[in-house]
């Protein structure tokens, strides 16, 4: 078995080989590193690293994690309260749809966290006559492409570690969809600039004034 294994030993200098082993909980990271070096020096030369060693220990919440848990708890509470309020006010069947309902500012703030209302807005396919629908398609395919590229790099983070492998992979036409996934971010800069010009021209035609670019920048960031 070792003879067959040593036939492909040269590949370990090109492709990193990852192995996960289960050891007793008394073993530490240093012990595992020493054992691995002892085995490799005896049978075949190789550079062994132990990136991490997970041991069974009690869950400890760090101080920097407490604010994040508090924020998540507050947002979860607001979502539950907003959804419950939306169900009681809009889906109880006691409110007449013919009469407009006037709600206070606090009620509107709570309803803004409703899952039902936000889901309806998110899934609404209707758009106005002045909407550039083609931008929705560009945004959708760009997001799918970026997610595809990031998912591939996350699962195969060593694929572009060496220049020789990168040159060989980029020679394949299909793999260019992976290497060029990062360039899809430029599409969103294009969409932002196009919408800026489109809205500015529309406002200029309606009011006869050139809008303030600083207002658009602040509105975009805010």
């Amino acid at each position: 078995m070792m003879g067959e294994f040593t036939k492909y030993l040269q590949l370990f200098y090109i492709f990193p080989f990852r192995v996960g082993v289960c050891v007793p909980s008394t073993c530490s990271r240093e012990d595992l590193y020493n054992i691995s070096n002892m085995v490799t020096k005896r049978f075949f030369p190789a550079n062994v690293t132990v990136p991490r060693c997970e041991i069974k220990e009690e869950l400890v919440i760090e101080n920097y994690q407490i604010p994040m848990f508090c924020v998540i708890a507050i947002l979860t509470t607001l979502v539950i309260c907003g959804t419950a309020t939306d169900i009681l006010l809009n889906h109880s069947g006691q409110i007449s749809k013919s009469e407009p309902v006037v709600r206070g500012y606090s009620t509107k703030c709570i309803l803004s966290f409703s899952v039902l209302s936000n889901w309806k807005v998110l899934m609404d396919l209707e758009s106005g006559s002045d909407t550039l629908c083609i931008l929705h398609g560009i945004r959708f395919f760009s997001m799918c492409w970026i997610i595809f590229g990031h998912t591939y790099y996350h699962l195969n983070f060593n694929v572009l570690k060496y220049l020789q492998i990168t040159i060989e992979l980029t020679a394949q036409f299909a793999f260019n969809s992976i290497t060029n996934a990062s360039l899809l971010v430029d599409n969103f800069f294009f969409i932002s600039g196009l919408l800026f010009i489109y809205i500015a021209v529309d406002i200029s035609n309606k009011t006869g004034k050139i809008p303030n670019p600083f207002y658009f920048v602040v509105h975009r960031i805010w």
Side-chain angles (χ1 to χ4, degrees):
M1 180 177 179
M2 293 301 299
E4 293 293 330
F5 186 75
T6 53
K7 290 181 180 179
Y8 306 97
L9 189 61
Q10 70 278 3
L11 297 178
F12 289 98
Y13 291 96
I14 303 176
F15 299 99
F17 188 70
R18 292 175 289 174
V19 178
V21 295
C22 183
V23 296
S25 59
T26 55
C27 293
S28 62
R29 180 177 177 181
E30 290 76 14
D31 296 335
L32 189 59
Y33 176 76
N34 294 330
I35 295 173
S36 302
N37 278 332
M38 185 185 303
V39 173
T40 54
K41 288 180 180 179
R42 182 175 180 181
F43 294 100
F44 53 87
N47 296 326
V48 179
T49 58
V50 182
R52 68 180 185 274
C53 181
E54 299 179 1
I55 60 176
K56 186 177 181 180
E57 57 184 1
E58 296 181 357
L59 180 62
V60 178
I61 300 177
E62 303 293 341
N63 293 330
Y64 67 89
Q65 295 176 336
I66 296 178
M68 298 304 300
F69 284 122
C70 294
V71 172
I72 294 174
I74 293 173
L75 292 177
T76 304
T77 304
L78 290 174
V79 169
I80 295 174
C81 294
T83 305
T85 305
D86 191 10
I87 294 174
L88 293 175
L89 294 180
N90 299 329
H91 301 278
S92 60
Q94 299 178 358
I95 300 178
S96 177
K97 297 182 179 180
S98 59
E99 299 179 359
V101 179
V102 180
R103 297 190 176 95
Y105 180 76
S106 59
T107 305
K108 293 180 180 179
C109 291
I110 294 296
L111 290 176
S112 63
F113 292 93
S114 173
V115 175
L116 300 177
S117 300
N118 286 284
W119 179 259
K120 290 181 180 179
V121 175
L122 184 63
M123 294 291 108
D124 188 12
L125 300 179
E126 296 181 0
S127 58
S129 58
D130 57 344
T131 303
L132 299 177
C133 298
I134 190 174
L135 297 182
H136 299 314
I138 296 176
R139 188 184 296 111
F140 171 77
F141 286 110
S142 299
M143 285 297 300
C144 292
W145 200 339
I146 291 173
I147 293 173
F148 173 70
H150 280 274
T151 303
Y152 185 88
Y153 285 131
H154 178 73
L155 298 177
N156 302 277
F157 54 89
N158 284 324
V159 67
L160 300 179
K161 187 176 181 180
Y162 300 97
L163 180 60
Q164 184 63 31
I165 301 177
T166 305
I167 296 175
E168 294 177 358
L169 291 176
T170 52
Q172 304 175 12
F173 177 77
F175 196 79
N176 287 320
S177 61
I178 302 296
T179 56
N180 295 321
S182 59
L183 301 178
L184 270 297
V185 181
D186 296 343
N187 287 354
F188 294 96
F189 292 107
F190 166 75
I191 292 174
S192 299
L194 180 61
L195 289 177
F196 174 79
I197 299 299
Y198 182 77
I199 297 174
V201 171
D202 183 61
I203 295 176
S204 178
N205 293 333
K206 292 180 179 179
T207 61
K209 299 180 181 179
I210 300 177
N212 187 3
F214 179 75
Y215 166 77
F216 283 96
V217 174
V218 174
H219 179 72
R220 182 67 177 177
I221 297 175
W222 185 259

